[in-house]
Amino acid sequence: MSSLAQLADGACAVVTALPHSRGLAKRLIALGLTPGAEVCVLQNRGRGALIVEVHGARLALGRGQAERVTVKSTLSPPTPAGPVVVDE
Amino acid sequence: MKQPDGFTLALAGQPNVGKSTVFNALTGLNQHVGNWPGKTVEQKTGRFTHLGYHVEIVDLPGTYSLTSGSEEERVARDYLIKERPDAVVAVVNAASLERNLYLVGELLMLPVPVVVGLNMVDVAESHGVHVEAWVLEAALGVPVVELVASKRRGLSELIDAATALVERPDSFKPNRPVIRAKHQPVLTEIEGLLAGRSPAGYPPDWLALKLLEGDADVAQLVKNASPESWEPIHSLLAGHEDAYLDIAGGRYDWVARMVRAAVARPRHGVTVVTDRIDRVATHPFWGLLVLLAVLGVLFWITYAAAGPAAGALSGVIAGEFSDLLRSLLEWAPGWFSGLVIDGVVRGAGTVLSFVPILVVFFAALGLLEDVGYMVRTAYVMDRYMHWMGLHGKSCMPLLLGFGCNVPAILGTRIIEERRARMLTMMLTPFVPCTGRLAVLAFLAPAFFGGAAAWAILALVGGNLVLLGLVGMGVNRFVFKGERSAFVMEMPLYHVPNARTIGMYVWRNTVAFIKKAGTLIVVVSAIVWVLSNIPGSDPSKSVLGVVGRFLEPAGALMGLGDWRLIVALLSSFVAKENSVATLGVLFGESGAAGVAGAGLAAKVAGVLTPAAAAAFLVVQMTFVPCVATVAAIRQESRSWRWTGANVALMMVAAVVLGVVVYQVGSLL
């Protein structure tokens, strides 16, 4: 278990818990960050805000907020949510 | 229900789905923009005809869900439940379909049939995302129409589908999301407790679901409607406080089932256009350089393209147009033509001459917004905004402030937390608007000669430093360093659409003309009256007397000449007024913007270099103009906050003016 803010660029994980603040949790949910959702980090420079991808959309997330989202790392990058994958 | 010759549609959708593009394409200029009654949420309604029907369309606020309790979300769902439009058109972005369908899942629980407009399929394809509309339609049980709204593709089919639903509402058989099995019993129990006692007009199953989601508004509603049934419901809910997580999870389970067969995405790790651009545009160092370069080009284009047009326009208004009016008003008494020409027309002229600059500025900003760059500025600036307890989103209205502070104040609506919004509002007037920049550009060459460009840069930079210091101070001492949460969608980059940018320019410019125009004209007339009674010698007028009274205070800043003080006072009406007032008081008649270098030189003649610097510093930081004050009052709904803002700037201006003059005189 670690926080979303600890994931490196390109790493993916499953969200296990949201911040305790109900207001913030509800905003994150509406933007796709729910417990059980697969989240991939597109940009994490160790400081400042992160860019993550979840449910097919990109979000900018303040570091303070990312620190309060608990995740469980998945070993390899998963195939994304819509599982029909095209090979071109 | 459907009327014989017309019906009402509501347009719903999350932000960044091209909803306004759909709305504008359907209604053209046949739309009305106002506020929802009693709210600071924008309401857009419009009309069009389709297949012989008169269609009224209401654009609901763009929201990610109908749950988290922002004012926008309340407005949207109250409208759907209370006004019952004949159908909802839900616009979704094909490139982020999963997240977008979350809102559709919520809409399907309301008692209004839904049509889905699958928009931006072109942007999605260019990023390797392919959506089969008919597969999605089969899964949802809801009509799904492919759209490229920016090219007006699919709009007619979309309204065909909506019309078909309105004509035959019984044909609507959606596949609604269901709650996870774990919470089904408690939901049934709440429904039982509500049976026959739910507030009129609200579907009981929806009420039960919202109660379980911990919706405070719905709880209040049920409590008021039936106090006796509230007690058992309340104690039941106390044992399921985390149910909202499961309900949201269940909704995304439903979304996953809906898109399973319909969406094909590229393999993970494939670099799309947006990633390539963002590698530079959101980089902590390169991103900042890109932002500075973009701003540089923005200002260069604005002043290079619109500066001459603005000068010519104000020349025509102060010259030919005023002369024409003067000859038409020959019959009238002198005070009347004076009031009309020197008061009203000059005031209105000042406003109008700024329109070209604003149009170009808003067009450039609208372009940045439409391609998706504006949110990147918020991301890049986030780290620096934290110094003030703000986050990146505050950056966007502040940028708008360089054009005009009035739309910038309205633009703070994008900031969710009230605290962060109020602080951003307070900082906005420190951003030098085109009005102040014009005065600066007019006077600086005469004051500083060859060093004018550096002086302008230093003064603008000084304002931004002051903004930062005030922000840090207010955050530290008023808000005690509270942090606000930064969560924002980063849409994919896409090709800009001329129509969308055109509407952006149109709306912002109209807001400026309406707000500024009416106020400035009225106050200009008042200023003219005050500088002309009693008698026509300005130095003995009411305004002259006030100016003379303030001379000792002004002397501390090197501004011992009452005409300079009156010029600063008149900038309260509109920042650019300073120049016009100086024109009148220094006897350069026909003034406005065409006073020319002669006036600037005359003013420079009465000032020492230290006093000239003090004058410009005060001009740049003096109280917000009257239109901005009105906007702050309207948006903050607090006279105290508005008053504090004005007082803060006044004190800052005077203190800085004194310091600059006294220190400057020693050098």
Side-chain angles (χ1 to χ4, degrees):
Chain A
M1 290 290 168
S2 52
S3 88
L4 184 52
Q6 289 165 305
L7 295 182
D9 271 10
C12 295
V14 174
V15 177
T16 51
L18 293 182
H20 292 301
S21 149
R22 232 180 142 96
L24 178 58
K26 284 192 173 180
R27 268 173 65 194
L28 293 178
I29 287 172
L31 282 158
L33 221 51
T34 43
E38 260 164 5
V39 57
C40 292
V41 174
L42 299 181
Q43 190 175 114
N44 182 1
R45 307 256 171 202
R47 49 186 291 210
L50 289 79
I51 303 180
V52 303
E53 184 170 319
V54 63
H55 283 301
R58 284 144 201 264
L59 306 181
L61 192 61
R63 181 155 297 268
Q65 288 74 58
E67 276 164 358
R68 291 192 280 154
V69 174
T70 316
V71 296
K72 196 171 83 185
S73 296
T74 46
L75 288 175
S76 60
T79 47
V84 184
V85 174
V86 276
D87 259 329
E88 280 167 301
Chain B
M1 274 289 94
K2 181 174 81 78
Q3 288 122 33
D5 60 338
F7 56 86
T8 304
L9 293 180
L11 196 58
Q14 296 187 339
N16 305 310
V17 298
K19 190 159 69 78
S20 332
T21 311
V22 172
F23 182 77
N24 293 335
L26 286 172
T27 62
L29 288 178
N30 211 350
Q31 50 175 273
H32 174 76
V33 182
N35 271 4
W36 290 84
K39 314 265 180 183
T40 53
V41 177
E42 187 175 83
Q43 182 192 45
K44 289 196 285 181
T45 55
R47 283 165 210 283
F48 60 93
T49 50
H50 187 81
L51 304 175
Y53 287 109
H54 293 283
V55 184
E56 166 122 23
I57 186 158
V58 178
D59 190 17
L60 300 176
T63 60
Y64 291 104
S65 73
L66 297 176
T67 314
S68 76
S70 72
E71 205 170 26
E72 285 79 7
E73 289 168 323
R74 252 174 304 215
V75 162
R77 74 185 196 195
D78 282 357
Y79 177 80
L80 292 174
I81 292 172
K82 291 185 183 148
E83 304 298 326
R84 297 279 170 104
D86 297 289
V88 186
V89 174
V91 183
V92 299
N93 180 344
S96 54
L97 188 61
E98 289 91 329
R99 222 267 322 284
N100 275 244
L101 284 177
Y102 185 82
L103 178 68
V104 174
E106 291 215 77
L107 288 171
L108 288 176
M109 302 308 288
L110 296 172
V112 180
V114 177
V115 180
V116 171
L118 182 66
N119 196 19
M120 303 176 105
V121 284
D122 54 339
V123 180
E125 292 282 352
S126 74
H127 283 79
V129 180
H130 179 74
V131 183
E132 290 286 359
W134 65 274
V135 179
L136 186 62
E137 174 167 312
L140 286 167
V142 165
V144 176
V145 181
E146 265 186 48
L147 299 178
V148 180
S150 58
K151 296 189 180 125
R152 311 176 70 96
R153 252 175 34 211
L155 289 169
S156 181
E157 292 81 351
L158 179 69
I159 304 305
D160 284 346
T163 308
L165 266 191
V166 172
E167 283 172 341
R168 296 179 46 240
D170 298 337
S171 67
F172 187 61
K173 299 261 187 312
N175 177 1
R176 292 195 170 88
V178 284
I179 193 167
R180 282 179 183 165
K182 189 171 126 194
H183 286 104
Q184 192 58 53
V186 62
L187 188 69
T188 314
E189 208 173 329
I190 299 173
E191 278 175 27
L193 288 166
L194 274 172
R197 282 183 279 197
S198 57
Y202 290 86
D205 54 344
W206 181 80
L207 286 174
L209 185 68
K210 286 289 148 185
L211 284 172
L212 196 53
E213 272 188 275
D215 188 305
D217 288 347
V218 170
Q220 195 58 45
L221 191 74
V222 170
K223 205 169 162 182
N224 293 344
S226 149
E228 69 281 4
S229 66
W230 174 244
E231 201 39 56
I233 291 176
H234 182 66
S235 50
L236 190 61
L237 289 176
H240 295 85
E241 283 196 331
D242 280 339
Y244 75 97
L245 290 172
D246 244 29
I247 295 175
R251 228 172 252 141
Y252 276 110
D253 295 344
W254 171 82
V255 169
R257 285 200 303 279
M258 296 299 110
V259 300
R260 185 163 297 146
V263 180
R265 288 187 168 279
R267 273 188 197 288
H268 183 77
V270 171
T271 318
V272 295
V273 191
T274 296
D275 292 325
R276 276 200 285 271
I277 302 175
D278 270 351
R279 219 167 269 161
V280 178
T282 62
H283 188 276
F285 177 71
W286 299 118
L288 208 56
L289 280 193
V290 168
L291 175 58
L292 285 176
V294 165
L295 289 183
V297 171
L298 177 72
F299 284 111
W300 180 76
I301 287 181
T302 302
Y303 287 94
L313 193 59
S314 81
V316 169
I317 293 165
E320 285 89 339
F321 184 68
S322 294
D323 292 344
L324 177 69
L325 216 56
R326 200 165 283 125
S327 63
L328 288 176
L329 289 173
E330 255 171 10
W331 54 272
W335 66 267
F336 182 75
S337 59
L339 177 65
V340 171
I341 294 163
D342 296 328
V344 175
V345 171
R346 175 167 305 155
T350 330
V351 177
L352 281 179
S353 64
F354 273 81
V355 169
I357 294 181
L358 286 176
V359 165
V360 176
F361 181 82
F362 288 140
L365 217 55
L367 176 75
L368 293 178
E369 166 95 44
D370 197 41
V371 295
Y373 181 70
M374 278 298 267
V375 297
R376 268 71 187 186
T377 69
Y379 178 80
V380 169
M381 288 303 290
D382 180 61
R383 196 189 304 177
Y384 309 99
M385 301 306 283
H386 271 282
W387 295 344
M388 298 180 270
L390 295 174
H391 57 64
K393 266 192 189 174
S394 297
C395 211
M396 296 193 271
L398 291 178
L399 269 181
L400 199 57
F402 280 105
C404 172
N405 286 179
V406 173
I409 297 283
L410 304 186
T412 60
R413 287 177 183 183
I414 57 160
I415 300 163
E416 295 89 356
E417 287 109 328
R418 182 167 166 82
R419 186 193 67 80
R421 193 174 166 215
M422 297 290 268
L423 180 54
T424 309
M425 237 185 262
M426 177 170 265
L427 298 179
T428 303
F430 287 97
V431 177
C433 59
T434 45
R436 273 173 280 177
L437 293 172
V439 175
L440 192 59
F442 178 74
L443 292 174
F447 286 2
F448 301 107
W454 293 110
I456 292 176
L457 214 57
L459 281 156
V460 172
N463 262 48
L464 297 181
V465 169
L466 187 61
L467 182 155
L469 292 176
V470 169
M472 283 188 249
V474 173
N475 176 47
R476 175 106 166 67
F477 298 110
V478 180
F479 294 130
K480 314 273 190 274
E482 244 178 276
R483 276 293 175 87
S484 50
F486 179 48
V487 190
M488 185 182 70
E489 184 183 5
M490 301 275 272
L492 300 175
Y493 288 105
H494 58 89
V495 180
N497 174 242
R499 206 185 169 87
T500 308
I501 299 172
M503 289 306 297
Y504 179 89
V505 173
W506 171 252
R507 291 200 304 120
N508 277 303
T509 312
V510 166
F512 167 79
I513 294 177
K514 262 195 200 154
K515 276 236 154 43
T518 45
L519 275 168
I520 292 175
V521 169
V522 170
V523 183
S524 300
I526 294 173
V527 168
W528 185 86
V529 169
L530 290 181
S531 64
N532 278 276
I533 48 169
S536 59
D537 178 3
S539 69
K540 295 201 178 73
S541 68
V542 175
L543 214 56
V545 171
V546 172
R548 283 178 190 284
F549 175 74
L550 291 172
E551 268 182 1
L556 286 174
M557 298 179 262
L559 309 177
D561 188 322
W562 65 275
R563 292 175 295 186
L564 298 170
I565 297 171
V566 170
L568 286 174
L569 290 180
S570 75
S571 76
F572 174 57
V573 179
K575 291 293 155 185
E576 53 277 20
N577 253 6
S578 306
V579 172
T581 309
L582 287 173
V584 175
L585 299 179
F586 278 79
E588 286 267 331
S589 58
V594 285
L599 171 61
K602 266 191 189 177
V603 177
V606 304
L607 291 168
T608 66
F615 180 82
L616 289 179
V617 165
V618 176
Q619 162 72 26
M620 291 289 280
T621 51
F622 197 47
V623 296
C625 73
V626 66
T628 305
V629 172
I632 294 174
R633 161 67 191 121
Q634 178 200 318
E635 295 296 308
S636 69
R637 299 188 177 186
S638 157
W639 277 116
R640 268 183 65 190
W641 190 259
T642 313
N645 202 337
V646 172
L648 177 73
M649 291 199 74
M650 176 113 71
V651 171
V654 171
V655 169
L656 284 173
V658 171
V659 169
V660 166
Y661 176 66
Q662 299 296 347
V663 173
S665 302
L666 295 176
L667 296 176

